[in-house]
Amino acid sequence: MSRDMYRQRILDHYRDPQNYGTIDDPDVTYEDVNPSCGDEIQMYAVVDENDEIQDVKFDGQGCAISQASASLLTEEVKGMTLDEVRQLETDDIKEMLGIELSPVRVKCAVLGLKVLEGGIVEYEKEN
Amino acid sequence: MSRDMYRQRILDHYRDPQNYGTIDDPDVTYEDVNPSCGDEIQMYAVVDENDEIQDVKFDGQGCAISQASASLLTEEVKGMTLDEVRQLETDDIKEMLGIELSPVRVKCAVLGLKVLEGGIVEYEKEN
Amino acid sequence: MSVEKASPYNVDEVRDDFPVLNRTVDGEKLVYLDNAATSQKPQSVIDAVSEFYEEYNANVHRGLHTLSQEASEAYENAHDRVAEFIGADGRENVVFTSNTTEGVNAVAFGWGMHHVDEGDNIVLTQMEHHSSLVPWQQVAQANDAELRFLKVDEGVVEEGEVEEKIDEDTAAVSVVHMSNVFGTVTPVKDIIDRAHEHGARVLVDGAQSVPHMPVDVGEMNADFFVTSGHKMCGPTGSGVLYGKTEAFHETQPYQYGGEMIKLVEYEEATWTDLPWRFEAGTPNIAQGIGLAAAVDYLEDLGMEKIHEHEREVTRHALEMMEDDDEVTVYGPSSDHENRGGVISFNVSDAHAHDTSELLSDEGVATRSGHHCAQPLMREMGVPATTRASFYLYNTYEEAEALVEGIETVKEVFA
Amino acid sequence: MSVEKASPYNVDEVRDDFPVLNRTVDGEKLVYLDNAATSQKPQSVIDAVSEFYEEYNANVHRGLHTLSQEASEAYENAHDRVAEFIGADGRENVVFTSNTTEGVNAVAFGWGMHHVDEGDNIVLTQMEHHSSLVPWQQVAQANDAELRFLKVDEGVVEEGEVEEKIDEDTAAVSVVHMSNVFGTVTPVKDIIDRAHEHGARVLVDGAQSVPHMPVDVGEMNADFFVTSGHKMCGPTGSGVLYGKTEAFHETQPYQYGGEMIKLVEYEEATWTDLPWRFEAGTPNIAQGIGLAAAVDYLEDLGMEKIHEHEREVTRHALEMMEDDDEVTVYGPSSDHENRGGVISFNVSDAHAHDTSELLSDEGVATRSGHHCAQPLMREMGVPATTRASFYLYNTYEEAEALVEGIETVKEVFA
Ligand SMILES: Cc1ncc(COP(=O)(O)O)c(C=O)c1O
Ligand SMILES: Cc1ncc(COP(=O)(O)O)c(C=O)c1O
């Protein structure tokens, strides 16, 4: 039953996402869409001299799963190094969410991570 | 049984077609191929002032049915008026051949007629 | 209520023709409301395909052996069958494709690229499917032409747009016949008349019309017309491109290869007759034959009746949904005469994907997203909608199951 | 004799898998020797298609409901299955098409038109199928490029041709892997190496190779590779376009529309990921799933064994035909190692069409004509040939039936 997916925690993050908004002049920024459904996410992060994430925000639109995942992700990655973020995988996202997901919804769940990692790749290219 | 198609008369016309060859400076001339099998026929005819066919020849290559039909057709149309030739239909060709034909082979059988009529259309356009 | 729930044919019997409709999903009875994406197939179509493979499978057109003659006859006759069904003059006006998209590309690249010049304009509606928008973008970009869009409001082309946008510089018009987002029907006759006055050719995208209502391309006077077999009870991999003879004679082939040639030399080649000129390579033979079986099925039921049935079932759902403050329905209201069996909606603050996911839990299959109409969604100011689309086998009870499913969505997102 | 007539698998059991092989034609047992045109289908493939329609028919990629998820998974996994079978890195290198022809057009128009420049040359063999010749003619004509042909003698590329014709101006090479006229195998590895030395990309036409022998596109190092599912036990409407990732990244889409886009605005659009970027519109879903079932079937038997079986049955027929003065066989003799299961021939002064027609009377299905290789036929100096083409289910007895049928032709045309 996918109804189980919609736990209170997920719905809270969907309705009231953490770290939602933009950062002026971010070190890391990137956006992408999930072509199969149109969900869009943009990520912004500020990185210190040790490559640690000082601040991170996201905006965009999409389903409860993609928005809640992005929200949970931003909470998780604050204080992590860029390297640590790049180690994160689909399974880590699933764990943060704590729910079962069908293959289609996994794509929603990892969109935020994909975008953040895309931003890190760009950032590292430039620095 | 398509074996019945290959009566002696058909085979004779295939091996030894009547009016096979070319006419220098013909009044009517045209060529076409059957795209589904590659059979090619070219027709040449000389027409008198009454629009009667004085002489007619054909050349080309193809199966026994297309070659025998063309041969029989040239025998038939000598002395006919162009209008009379244009009245000829698939059934007339079948009658000349005197055999049963599947739809694919009907296309072989009428190729000669199609070419001759094509030539007549061109001729009448120019005159 | 029981009078209201009448149908011009026996729906229960019809449902028995579609094996998949007996399915359960997670223990719930399947309620298939994703028909605008692709329809289910009756047993007669499934059998026509199997029979082809089991009894006379062979390549077509060229074979002299018995199987090939049988296959050729069935495949070529299928063109006649479709021609008759859509009101085309004959098989030379009917090309089989894999889907609507291929047909639009064939027209855009085979005709558009060669007849739309710099400074010309191409007129579309704001609610084109990506399949009939993106190919024309390619033509406009390559040939420096302008794209113009007829404005739509709730799925209806706005007053005056046709007269304003179609003018002497219009070379091509490409319009959706029935919207896959709203179920509304475009006034193609007016558009075509106006376009012809200005010497433009018109392509009508009938992906959603042919499956659901009587269509006569001749009467409509369309130059080109495309539709999808798989949305009208036919196999996947079946579709139709119709062209008037004179329009087809202006069209270059879009695919080159075997079966479409007349004479080939090493450096150049010439093309064979219509319609085969536009079917390169081994065609989708079983699919074309299956499509003819689908046409038989639809004609047996009657397109008028199918249309009427769908309209009533849809109206039933719409009336209930319109009464619900937490449901936003897009498109004209239930009493609008031009409303086919498509309902686009959103439920309270649930995202459309979540709505579809929760409906699926109840066995109700819908589709959510941009419905291949991203620019329209932006115009409407919504990221996505959920779409329930009905077909000849859907029942009033299924309309009610949809509405009940929506209650669950409301509960979860309360 | 019985040792000679051995087979690496039990052919009688295999034949039971193909329902059509039980057919009679005009009272004669069907002997199907038109496999190069299209192959017959085993029950497992027919059933995979029916099961899709009966149990989980839905459109793919976007659906959140259960049927669509099941259909998407099966359709996407079919790409993995085919990737593995032909030695591709992964599904992103495998595009499903309707047939080989569509794949060649996708490469010629999507890659060739943009990478072959004025003064460049395109190298083909003299024995290309129209499907891999005519699209390149279009590229050459549009871009003022030169077409060059590797000379072939009895189906074998002549010594020195590869070195002579492929040079620094070569932008593209497109070669048939196994000839559909002679059954001979082109030295694709040498050609590809030579082409890559000069920076050219190579398309290999594997319509006749993949069904009949083990093929590894990675090992071969082809840039693009195409084949037909319907010639390898798959449904009609199935085919494959393989591309190396870097080659695909150089390729523009050939068809535009739904499913292949990422972001669409009214004036422009961007494309989604590989391989879906090259599959516009609703794909041939049941056909792709059926193709995966065909691959399962072939792998169960084993491609090496299939190849061996066909070679032996063909050799049996060839030896008998070579002994007959009234039969002319084209292509290398029976002891040539590179000879697949195709025999092109003519009987005394019978035209090829008449030969096929008379053979069909005996139940023997062959094909006659130019085999979509008109320029080659002109080169060979014959208007047409009759072609018998064998497959995994053909028997030694069927080879003998062909030879007996030829006796009838000889009698009639005596
Ligand atoms: C060598 C070769 N190339 C291309 C083709 C074309 O294949 P299809 O008709 O499936 O497009 C064929 C089959 O006819 C073939 O034998
Ligand atoms: C209005 C409209 N046009 C075009 C299409 C594309 O059809 P297909 O996917 O069969 O190419 C669709 C269906 O998705 C549609 O609804």
Side-chain angles (χ1 to χ4, degrees), chain C residues 281-282, chain D residues 36-37 99-102 129 131-132 176 178 180 205 207-208 228 230-231:
Chain C
T282 303
Chain D
N99 52 30
T100 293
T101 303
E102 188 179 341
H129 189 278
S131 288
S132 49
V176 66
M178 183 192 279
N180 65 313
D205 170 0
Q208 298 298 340
S228 299
H230 66 88
K231 293 185 202 279

Side-chain angles (χ1 to χ4, degrees), chain C residues 223-413:
Chain C
D223 299 294
F224 299 104
F225 188 98
V226 288
T227 194
S228 300
H230 66 89
K231 295 185 202 277
M232 52 188 272
C233 295
T236 62
S238 67
V240 177
L241 162 61
Y242 159 87
K244 271 189 200 166
T245 304
E246 59 186 77
F248 267 168
H249 279 304
E250 289 175 14
T251 307
Q252 299 292 314
Y254 167 60
Q255 278 198 39
Y256 298 85
E259 312 293 328
M260 57 73 71
I261 55 85
K262 185 166 193 170
L263 273 178
V264 180
E265 307 195 60
Y266 278 124
E267 307 293 337
E268 60 194 13
T270 56
W271 321 134
T272 187
D273 302 329
L274 294 176
W276 318 122
R277 185 187 304 171
F278 297 119
E279 294 187 7
T282 303
N284 296 2
I285 306 168
Q287 294 72 41
I289 291 169
L291 176 57
V295 166
D296 287 342
Y297 187 86
L298 294 175
E299 287 218 323
D300 270 0
L301 269 186
M303 290 309 301
E304 274 298 359
K305 289 184 184 166
I306 292 170
H307 189 50
E308 186 187 328
H309 170 76
E310 283 175 32
R311 206 171 40 210
E312 291 311 311
V313 172
T314 308
R315 195 200 310 263
H316 186 59
L318 263 178
E319 282 171 355
M320 291 181 282
M321 290 164 75
E322 284 171 350
D323 283 345
D324 188 334
D325 288 347
E326 291 188 55
V327 176
T328 312
V329 175
Y330 306 93
S333 66
S334 55
D335 48 18
H336 194 281
E337 55 182 306
N338 253 341
R339 215 177 192 310
V342 179
I343 306 177
S344 276
F345 64 97
N346 271 313
V347 181
S348 57
D349 68 350
H351 189 279
H353 299 143
D354 299 313
T355 300
S356 264
E357 175 105 32
L358 286 162
L359 287 172
S360 179
D361 267 9
E362 314 291 316
V364 182
T366 59
R367 192 146 290 239
S368 281
H370 48 61
H371 311 298
C372 295
Q374 287 183 2
L376 176 71
M377 292 288 137
R378 251 171 251 127
E379 206 70 37
M380 289 161 63
V382 289
T385 72
T386 298
R387 179 183 72 187
S389 51
F390 295 82
Y391 205 21
L392 55 90
Y393 37 68
N394 289 122
T395 62
Y396 292 94
E397 291 70 34
E398 290 184 316
E400 287 156 16
L402 167 66
V403 173
E404 278 159 38
I406 290 173
E407 290 304 314
T408 317
V409 180
K410 282 158 60 180
E411 269 167 43
V412 171
F413 280 83

Side-chain angles (χ1 to χ4, degrees), chain C residues 99-101 129 131 176 180 205 207-208 228 230-231, chain D residues 281-282:
Chain C
N99 52 31
T100 293
T101 304
H129 189 278
S131 289
V176 65
N180 65 313
D205 170 1
Q208 298 297 339
S228 300
H230 66 89
K231 295 185 202 277
Chain D
T282 302

Side-chain angles (χ1 to χ4, degrees), chain B residues 47-112:
Chain B
V47 175
D48 69 13
E49 62 285 2
N50 303 323
D51 272 356
E52 257 178 46
I53 293 182
Q54 291 291 336
D55 193 14
V56 56
K57 284 200 191 305
F58 83 100
D59 62 6
Q61 58 75 19
C63 64
I65 305 303
S66 73
Q67 300 299 299
S69 305
S71 171
L72 284 159
L73 179 70
T74 53
E75 290 190 323
E76 186 84 10
V77 298
K78 241 183 239 179
M80 280 177 129
T81 65
L82 298 184
D83 260 3
E84 284 167 339
V85 176
R86 294 185 62 173
Q87 305 289 317
L88 291 177
E89 289 184 348
T90 304
D91 281 343
D92 300 304
I93 301 291
K94 283 192 196 160
E95 212 168 287
M96 286 178 212
L97 286 165
I99 53 176
E100 290 285 325
L101 289 173
S102 67
V104 201
R105 299 317 288 270
V106 168
K107 288 190 198 152
C108 307
V110 298
L111 179 60

Side-chain angles (χ1 to χ4, degrees), chain A residues 33-39 104 107, chain C residues 353 368-370, chain D residues 61-63 261 272:
Chain A
V33 305
N34 179 342
S36 78
C37 66
D39 285 1
V104 199
K107 288 189 198 154
Chain C
H353 299 143
S368 281
H370 48 61
Chain D
H61 295 329
R62 292 164 182 285
I261 55 84
T272 188

Side-chain angles (χ1 to χ4, degrees), chain C residues 20 42 57 70 100 109 136 142 150 169 225 250 266 275 284 341 372:
Chain C
V20 79
N57 169 72
E70 291 174 6
T100 293
F109 287 89
W136 290 112
L150 303 174
D169 294 330
F225 188 98
E250 289 175 14
Y266 278 124
N284 296 2
C372 295

